[in-house]
Amino acid sequence: MPHAHSSSAASSGGDDLGSTDEVKVFKDEGDGEDEKRSSENLLEEKSSLIDWTESEEKSGEPYPGKLSVKSDLSPVFGKFEPHPATGFNMGYLMAPYPYPNGGAHPLPVSMTGKMGLPAGGGLSLFCPGGELGQPPPAHMGIPPPYQLDSKLAAGLARTPMYPFPGGTYPYPMLSPEMSQVAASWHTPTMYPISSAASGFRSPYPTSLPISSSSLSRYGIPSELYRFSPTLGGGLGLGLGPALVPPPPSKSDLDSHHSRYARSLEKGSSSSSSDKPSDSSANSNNKEQNKKPHIKKPLNAFMLYMKEMRAKVVAECTLKESAAINQILGRRWHSLSREEQAKYYEKARQERQLHMQLYPGWSARDNYGYGSKKKKRKKDRSPAELGGNNLKKCRARYGLDQQSQWCKPCRRKKKCVRYMEALAAASGTVPMPMATPQSPCSEEDVKLEEMSDASSDGDADTPLNSASSPGALSALSSLASPASEPAPAPRHPVGTNPRDANNPLSVGQLTSQSWPRAAPRPGHEVISVS
DNA sequence: AAGCCTTTGAAGTTT
DNA sequence: AAACTTCAAAGGCTT
């Protein structure tokens, strides 16, 4: 992520751990020190998380003292210290960081009323007890745009797909240990589960011992490993070569690769992935065109997303992956280090297993896979980007009468939602929500453009001019209209954003995934005329 | 049908 | 070395 790098490089001395960089993005001049401390803490913590797994990997000594959570060498990977009823697996059902207003969401009750949302308790904005149970960055003072999806509002009545209340675990017959495993099964069941034969689209229960989940992902029948006396128990210890069962024969792998590749081909649904090819000629062509594709091992966040997505979908009534991913990104940041460590460790094992299975594989192999790789923004010509940006911006003012969104605006929904958020935050009468007559406002357009310019990393774009102290304030005024009181301090003094006891800190911590429309330094507001 | 969106992280490439 | 890019998952949405 270019913006991540740029910001981290500018502020953290290059220790790019990705997720913390933008914590600084919204910092106030006044509390820079605190923020710096917080951010450094984050960097430190996160890097220690990584070091922790890496050092273990290198030393062969399991978790040399940094964390005790892996002291249990149970065959069930991920058997960390059990969480209470609101622990990791289910903890998101309860807002871990209650809002000062006592509600389950960050908006004042009065504001929810203005937004036409149910005021008070039970149902938080759109994501009961879930992501939206976490405070937004204090500087915003408004709920995340995705909360304001009109679709979401329409979906408020949706029955949770996971109706069991927190604390009532759906697997009462299982031992606590197995319950944890079962919990990890829970999410994947949200997805269509292919047959074992089609295991390439397996539910991939990432909390399961890697022996089944990862193997199925890589197309290796778990049966090959299931009875390994070492693999499961070794998971917490890292997978030394001795612990890894002999990989399948080359023919096995080839077969699996092919299946895997087929099942993962863009456009081929999981349901059809294992059907015999209707046309052998077509099949052959495809096979020729697209070499067996060994996918990258999932990183920690991907594993987390895979595990949590369905739950978020169920809770928030959102279905769009982009919005879900934003939520998951925030949740990821709100995880404790132990919780994140679980996923870092899983990811490490994923990589290790992947290495064992595909010794010669390189991520490079997948570059440009299937030639599908779209013409990314940054690959586009200046004419496509910078040169036309202003035109695009102008075009954004045009209305698409058939659509409820501005047609030229890529993040249409967000535009509308952002406007709604602004209206709600300012206490003004919201503009018509998501009606065919609702354009993106100028402010919205500016925010979108700045966001685009930033994420595009397009230095030639006029929007991406040199950084200016005025940009932040200008944007601040956009996010927080003049009629509104000044936003809360972005970072409370002396708080560690990672500190779960610090309710405000979480939102700041997660500001990276917080609204794309949010301002970033280094981008001036320019008027689009 | 192909690509976008959106997230973080790993690993690759480029500067 | 730092910056930048690609790709992992996901599914609704747009073109």
Side-chain angles (χ1 to χ4, degrees):
Chain A
M1 278 188 300
H3 64 269
H5 285 279
S6 57
S7 58
S8 67
S11 58
S12 66
D15 184 8
D16 183 11
L17 290 170
S19 61
T20 60
D21 46 6
E22 290 198 15
V23 171
K24 296 177 187 296
V25 163
F26 306 111
K27 75 177 178 181
D28 261 338
E29 291 82 357
D31 54 3
E33 277 304 308
D34 294 315
E35 175 147 11
K36 188 176 179 184
R37 275 195 296 273
S38 297
S39 184
E40 284 171 352
N41 285 344
L42 280 178
L43 291 171
E44 197 174 321
E45 289 181 15
K46 198 162 185 181
S47 61
S48 72
L49 269 183
I50 298 170
D51 290 346
W52 172 71
T53 56
E54 294 301 327
S55 62
E56 176 271 327
E57 184 175 354
K58 285 167 185 165
S59 68
E61 181 183 346
Y63 307 97
K66 282 200 175 181
L67 282 177
S68 61
V69 291
K70 295 296 284 188
S71 59
D72 184 346
L73 306 183
S74 154
V76 179
F77 173 71
K79 186 187 172 191
F80 290 80
E81 32 186 297
H83 288 270
T86 58
F88 178 62
N89 282 325
M90 305 296 293
Y92 61 90
L93 291 174
M94 301 291 291
Y97 309 106
Y99 291 97
N101 67 3
H105 58 72
L107 283 181
V109 169
S110 59
M111 189 172 290
T112 63
K114 288 173 184 171
M115 300 172 64
L117 298 173
L123 186 58
S124 68
L125 268 176
F126 298 98
C127 188
E131 150 61 16
L132 305 183
Q134 294 171 6
H139 66 283
M140 291 298 291
I142 55 172
Y146 52 75
Q147 296 177 14
L148 297 166
D149 191 339
S150 56
K151 229 179 175 181
L152 258 183
L156 280 174
R158 174 174 164 183
T159 306
M161 298 176 74
Y162 294 89
F164 50 89
T168 306
Y169 201 76
Y171 305 101
M173 73 297 293
L174 299 179
S175 69
E177 185 177 270
M178 284 309 295
S179 290
Q180 279 205 320
V181 176
S184 69
W185 294 341
H186 196 68
T187 296
T189 59
M190 295 295 298
Y191 302 98
I193 300 177
S194 321
S195 67
S198 62
F200 296 96
R201 291 295 281 191
S202 79
Y204 198 82
T206 53
S207 284
L208 284 175
I210 204 162
S211 55
S212 62
S213 60
S214 298
L215 293 177
S216 70
R217 180 171 185 270
Y218 301 132
I220 308 304
S222 59
E223 288 77 8
L224 291 176
Y225 296 83
R226 182 164 297 162
F227 302 108
S228 164
T230 54
L231 182 64
L235 284 170
L237 304 172
L239 298 172
L243 295 178
V244 176
S249 69
K250 187 176 186 308
S251 59
D252 281 344
L253 282 181
D254 288 344
S255 165
H256 288 304
H257 290 175
S258 298
R259 259 192 317 177
Y260 192 35
R262 283 197 302 272
S263 71
L264 294 172
E265 275 173 7
K266 193 78 175 181
S268 73
S269 70
S270 58
S271 59
S272 63
S273 62
D274 292 305
K275 293 177 184 172
S277 44
D278 32 358
S279 155
S280 59
N282 278 345
S283 172
N284 286 339
N285 279 339
K286 282 191 176 182
E287 300 276 339
Q288 285 173 359
N289 292 338
K290 301 184 179 181
K291 302 171 191 173
H293 182 212
I294 302 171
K295 295 217 147 193
K296 293 175 69 173
L298 303 187
N299 64 37
F301 179 69
M302 287 293 144
L303 290 169
Y304 172 76
M305 283 213 317
K306 197 147 189 171
E307 185 172 307
M308 291 302 184
R309 170 181 300 281
K311 294 176 180 176
V312 172
V313 168
E315 289 170 12
C316 300
T317 75
L318 275 172
K319 285 200 168 108
E320 282 182 70
S321 287
I324 295 294
N325 291 348
Q326 283 191 332
I327 295 173
L328 286 167
R330 293 192 65 198
R331 286 193 182 186
W332 172 252
H333 287 293
S334 71
L335 290 181
S336 69
R337 68 178 289 167
E338 286 80 12
E339 288 166 339
Q340 284 193 350
K342 282 168 55 176
Y343 293 95
Y344 281 115
E345 172 63 10
K346 285 181 191 177
R348 187 187 66 82
Q349 293 173 353
E350 284 270 332
R351 291 195 301 274
Q352 215 160 14
L353 175 66
H354 197 275
M355 276 175 49
Q356 297 286 337
L357 293 174
Y358 313 111
W361 181 88
S362 160
R364 168 194 194 174
D365 299 345
N366 291 357
Y367 274 38
Y369 165 70
S371 72
K372 73 163 187 248
K373 270 323 144 193
K374 19 207 162 181
K375 207 176 180 185
R376 300 230 155 201
K377 285 180 191 171
K378 289 175 184 176
D379 298 332
R380 296 172 188 163
S381 68
E384 290 175 286
L385 273 177
N388 282 339
N389 265 2
L390 289 178
K391 290 178 185 173
K392 289 180 182 177
C393 296
R394 291 189 197 101
R396 284 176 179 175
Y397 290 97
L399 292 182
D400 173 16
Q401 299 294 336
Q402 308 306 317
S403 166
Q404 56 181 339
W405 308 302
C406 293
K407 192 160 189 175
C409 181
R410 283 202 301 273
R411 282 176 290 281
K412 304 168 185 69
K413 289 183 178 178
K414 215 170 197 178
C415 288
V416 173
R417 281 178 290 177
Y418 192 73
M419 281 312 300
E420 294 162 357
L422 287 177
S426 65
T428 61
V429 178
M431 59 187 299
M433 290 173 56
T435 66
Q437 291 76 32
S438 298
C440 298
S441 72
E442 289 191 23
E443 289 80 6
D444 192 23
V445 170
K446 289 172 186 171
L447 290 172
E448 290 282 328
E449 287 165 355
M450 279 180 291
S451 177
D452 286 347
S454 173
S455 61
D456 291 354
D458 184 359
D460 298 330
T461 305
L463 296 171
N464 196 18
S465 53
S467 72
S468 154
L472 246 175
S473 59
L475 286 159
S476 265
S477 66
L478 289 180
S480 179
S483 61
E484 196 65 4
R490 294 185 177 110
H491 288 272
V493 174
T495 55
N496 180 352
R498 183 68 79 191
D499 183 0
N501 295 322
N502 168 27
L504 287 178
S505 66
V506 175
Q508 295 144 7
L509 173 64
T510 60
S511 60
Q512 174 178 9
S513 50
W514 176 245
R516 257 180 67 85
R520 287 179 178 142
H523 303 295
E524 284 191 359
V525 179
I526 70 167
S527 60
V528 179
S529 55

